[in-house]
Short mmCIF file of all heavy atoms in Angstrom, two decimals:
data_model
loop_
_atom_site.label_atom_id
_atom_site.label_comp_id
_atom_site.label_asym_id
_atom_site.label_seq_id
_atom_site.Cartn_x
_atom_site.Cartn_y
_atom_site.Cartn_z
N SER B 26 40.46 32.23 57.90
CA SER B 26 40.45 33.37 58.82
C SER B 26 40.04 34.69 58.17
O SER B 26 39.63 35.61 58.87
CB SER B 26 41.84 33.53 59.44
OG SER B 26 42.81 33.79 58.44
N ASP B 27 40.15 34.80 56.84
CA ASP B 27 39.88 36.08 56.16
C ASP B 27 38.40 36.20 55.82
O ASP B 27 37.92 35.54 54.91
CB ASP B 27 40.74 36.17 54.90
CG ASP B 27 40.58 37.51 54.18
OD1 ASP B 27 39.88 38.41 54.71
OD2 ASP B 27 41.15 37.66 53.09
N ARG B 28 37.69 37.08 56.53
CA ARG B 28 36.26 37.25 56.28
C ARG B 28 35.97 37.81 54.88
O ARG B 28 34.85 37.71 54.40
CB ARG B 28 35.64 38.17 57.33
CG ARG B 28 35.48 37.53 58.68
CD ARG B 28 34.54 38.33 59.57
NE ARG B 28 34.20 37.57 60.77
CZ ARG B 28 33.19 36.70 60.82
NH1 ARG B 28 32.43 36.49 59.77
NH2 ARG B 28 32.95 36.05 61.94
N GLY B 29 37.00 38.40 54.26
CA GLY B 29 36.82 38.97 52.93
C GLY B 29 36.95 37.97 51.80
O GLY B 29 36.77 38.32 50.64
N SER B 30 37.27 36.74 52.12
CA SER B 30 37.45 35.72 51.07
C SER B 30 36.16 35.50 50.30
O SER B 30 35.08 35.44 50.88
CB SER B 30 37.91 34.40 51.70
OG SER B 30 39.17 34.56 52.31
N GLN B 31 36.29 35.39 48.98
CA GLN B 31 35.12 35.29 48.12
C GLN B 31 35.07 34.00 47.31
O GLN B 31 34.02 33.61 46.84
CB GLN B 31 35.10 36.47 47.15
CG GLN B 31 34.93 37.82 47.83
CD GLN B 31 33.58 37.95 48.50
OE1 GLN B 31 32.57 37.49 47.99
NE2 GLN B 31 33.56 38.56 49.68
N SER B 32 36.22 33.37 47.12
CA SER B 32 36.28 32.19 46.26
C SER B 32 36.96 31.06 47.01
O SER B 32 37.95 31.29 47.71
CB SER B 32 37.07 32.50 44.98
OG SER B 32 36.52 33.60 44.30
N PHE B 33 36.41 29.85 46.81
CA PHE B 33 36.87 28.71 47.60
C PHE B 33 37.01 27.51 46.67
O PHE B 33 36.14 27.26 45.83
CB PHE B 33 35.86 28.40 48.72
CG PHE B 33 35.56 29.60 49.56
CD1 PHE B 33 34.59 30.52 49.16
CD2 PHE B 33 36.27 29.85 50.71
CE1 PHE B 33 34.32 31.65 49.90
CE2 PHE B 33 36.01 30.97 51.47
CZ PHE B 33 35.04 31.87 51.07
N PHE B 34 38.10 26.78 46.85
CA PHE B 34 38.40 25.69 45.92
C PHE B 34 38.87 24.46 46.68
O PHE B 34 39.50 24.56 47.73
CB PHE B 34 39.50 26.12 44.94
CG PHE B 34 39.22 27.43 44.25
CD1 PHE B 34 39.82 28.59 44.69
CD2 PHE B 34 38.35 27.49 43.18
CE1 PHE B 34 39.56 29.81 44.07
CE2 PHE B 34 38.07 28.70 42.56
CZ PHE B 34 38.69 29.85 43.01
N TRP B 35 38.57 23.31 46.12
CA TRP B 35 39.10 22.04 46.60
C TRP B 35 39.95 21.42 45.50
O TRP B 35 39.50 21.31 44.34
CB TRP B 35 37.98 21.08 47.00
CG TRP B 35 37.36 21.41 48.32
CD1 TRP B 35 36.20 22.09 48.55
CD2 TRP B 35 37.88 21.07 49.61
NE1 TRP B 35 35.97 22.19 49.89
CE2 TRP B 35 36.98 21.57 50.57
CE3 TRP B 35 39.02 20.38 50.05
CZ2 TRP B 35 37.18 21.40 51.94
CZ3 TRP B 35 39.21 20.22 51.41
CH2 TRP B 35 38.30 20.72 52.34
N TYR B 36 41.15 21.01 45.89
CA TYR B 36 42.06 20.33 44.97
C TYR B 36 42.35 18.93 45.52
O TYR B 36 42.41 18.72 46.73
CB TYR B 36 43.39 21.09 44.85
CG TYR B 36 43.30 22.38 44.09
CD1 TYR B 36 42.87 23.56 44.70
CD2 TYR B 36 43.67 22.44 42.74
CE1 TYR B 36 42.80 24.75 43.99
CE2 TYR B 36 43.61 23.63 42.03
CZ TYR B 36 43.17 24.77 42.67
OH TYR B 36 43.10 25.95 41.97
N ARG B 37 42.56 18.01 44.61
CA ARG B 37 42.99 16.65 44.97
C ARG B 37 44.43 16.49 44.49
O ARG B 37 44.77 16.84 43.36
CB ARG B 37 42.09 15.62 44.28
CG ARG B 37 42.47 14.17 44.52
CD ARG B 37 41.46 13.24 43.86
NE ARG B 37 41.42 13.43 42.43
CZ ARG B 37 40.39 13.06 41.66
NH1 ARG B 37 39.31 12.49 42.19
NH2 ARG B 37 40.44 13.25 40.35
N GLN B 38 45.28 15.93 45.36
CA GLN B 38 46.68 15.72 45.00
C GLN B 38 47.06 14.29 45.33
O GLN B 38 47.11 13.90 46.50
CB GLN B 38 47.60 16.71 45.74
CG GLN B 38 49.04 16.62 45.28
CD GLN B 38 49.93 17.69 45.92
OE1 GLN B 38 49.65 18.19 46.99
NE2 GLN B 38 51.02 18.02 45.22
N TYR B 39 47.33 13.52 44.29
CA TYR B 39 47.86 12.18 44.49
C TYR B 39 49.34 12.28 44.82
O TYR B 39 50.02 13.24 44.43
CB TYR B 39 47.66 11.33 43.23
CG TYR B 39 46.21 11.00 42.94
CD1 TYR B 39 45.57 11.50 41.81
CD2 TYR B 39 45.49 10.17 43.79
CE1 TYR B 39 44.25 11.19 41.53
CE2 TYR B 39 44.16 9.86 43.52
CZ TYR B 39 43.55 10.38 42.39
OH TYR B 39 42.24 10.07 42.14
N SER B 40 49.83 11.27 45.53
CA SER B 40 51.22 11.27 45.96
C SER B 40 52.18 11.45 44.78
O SER B 40 52.11 10.70 43.79
CB SER B 40 51.54 9.96 46.70
OG SER B 40 52.88 9.94 47.14
N GLY B 41 53.04 12.43 44.87
CA GLY B 41 54.03 12.66 43.83
C GLY B 41 53.53 13.42 42.63
O GLY B 41 54.28 13.66 41.68
N LYS B 42 52.27 13.82 42.66
CA LYS B 42 51.67 14.52 41.51
C LYS B 42 51.30 15.95 41.88
O LYS B 42 51.39 16.35 43.04
CB LYS B 42 50.42 13.78 41.03
CG LYS B 42 50.68 12.33 40.63
CD LYS B 42 51.61 12.23 39.44
CE LYS B 42 51.76 10.79 38.99
NZ LYS B 42 52.72 10.69 37.84
N SER B 43 50.88 16.71 40.88
CA SER B 43 50.48 18.10 41.13
C SER B 43 48.99 18.15 41.50
O SER B 43 48.23 17.22 41.21
CB SER B 43 50.76 18.95 39.89
OG SER B 43 50.01 18.49 38.79
N PRO B 44 48.55 19.22 42.15
CA PRO B 44 47.14 19.34 42.53
C PRO B 44 46.23 19.46 41.32
O PRO B 44 46.58 20.07 40.31
CB PRO B 44 47.11 20.63 43.36
CG PRO B 44 48.52 20.84 43.81
CD PRO B 44 49.36 20.32 42.70
N GLU B 45 45.04 18.90 41.46
CA GLU B 45 44.03 18.91 40.41
C GLU B 45 42.76 19.53 40.98
O GLU B 45 42.26 19.08 42.01
CB GLU B 45 43.77 17.47 39.95
CG GLU B 45 42.61 17.29 39.00
CD GLU B 45 42.24 15.83 38.85
OE1 GLU B 45 42.74 14.99 39.63
OE2 GLU B 45 41.42 15.52 37.98
N LEU B 46 42.24 20.54 40.32
CA LEU B 46 41.02 21.20 40.77
C LEU B 46 39.82 20.26 40.65
O LEU B 46 39.59 19.69 39.58
CB LEU B 46 40.76 22.45 39.94
CG LEU B 46 39.51 23.25 40.29
CD1 LEU B 46 39.65 23.92 41.65
CD2 LEU B 46 39.21 24.28 39.21
N ILE B 47 39.06 20.09 41.74
CA ILE B 47 37.87 19.24 41.67
C ILE B 47 36.58 20.01 41.95
O ILE B 47 35.53 19.61 41.47
CB ILE B 47 37.97 18.02 42.60
CG1 ILE B 47 38.28 18.39 44.05
CG2 ILE B 47 39.00 17.03 42.09
CD1 ILE B 47 38.20 17.23 45.00
N MET B 48 36.63 21.10 42.73
CA MET B 48 35.41 21.85 43.03
C MET B 48 35.74 23.32 43.26
O MET B 48 36.77 23.64 43.85
CB MET B 48 34.72 21.31 44.27
CG MET B 48 34.07 19.96 44.11
SD MET B 48 32.60 20.01 43.08
CE MET B 48 31.42 20.77 44.19
N SER B 49 34.85 24.18 42.80
CA SER B 49 34.90 25.60 43.11
C SER B 49 33.55 25.98 43.72
O SER B 49 32.52 25.47 43.29
CB SER B 49 35.10 26.44 41.84
OG SER B 49 36.25 26.03 41.13
N ILE B 50 33.55 26.88 44.71
CA ILE B 50 32.29 27.35 45.28
C ILE B 50 32.46 28.80 45.67
O ILE B 50 33.51 29.20 46.19
CB ILE B 50 31.83 26.47 46.46
CG1 ILE B 50 30.43 26.85 46.92
CG2 ILE B 50 32.84 26.47 47.59
CD1 ILE B 50 29.77 25.82 47.84
N TYR B 51 31.43 29.61 45.37
CA TYR B 51 31.56 31.05 45.55
C TYR B 51 30.46 31.65 46.44
O TYR B 51 30.58 32.77 46.90
CB TYR B 51 31.51 31.76 44.19
CG TYR B 51 32.57 31.28 43.23
CD1 TYR B 51 32.28 30.29 42.29
CD2 TYR B 51 33.85 31.80 43.26
CE1 TYR B 51 33.26 29.84 41.40
CE2 TYR B 51 34.83 31.37 42.37
CZ TYR B 51 34.52 30.39 41.45
OH TYR B 51 35.48 29.95 40.58
N SER B 52 29.36 30.91 46.67
CA SER B 52 28.26 31.44 47.46
C SER B 52 27.84 30.43 48.51
O SER B 52 28.10 29.22 48.38
CB SER B 52 27.08 31.80 46.56
OG SER B 52 26.68 30.69 45.79
#
Side-chain angles (χ1 to χ4, degrees):
Chain B
S26 62
D27 183 5
R28 286 195 169 273
S30 296
Q31 296 294 322
S32 304
F33 307 85
F34 309 101
W35 283 99
Y36 288 83
R37 178 176 61 200
Q38 186 175 24
Y39 292 114
S40 180
K42 302 296 185 182
S43 62
E45 172 193 11
L46 179 69
I47 54 172
M48 289 290 285
S49 304
I50 188 166
Y51 302 96
S52 56

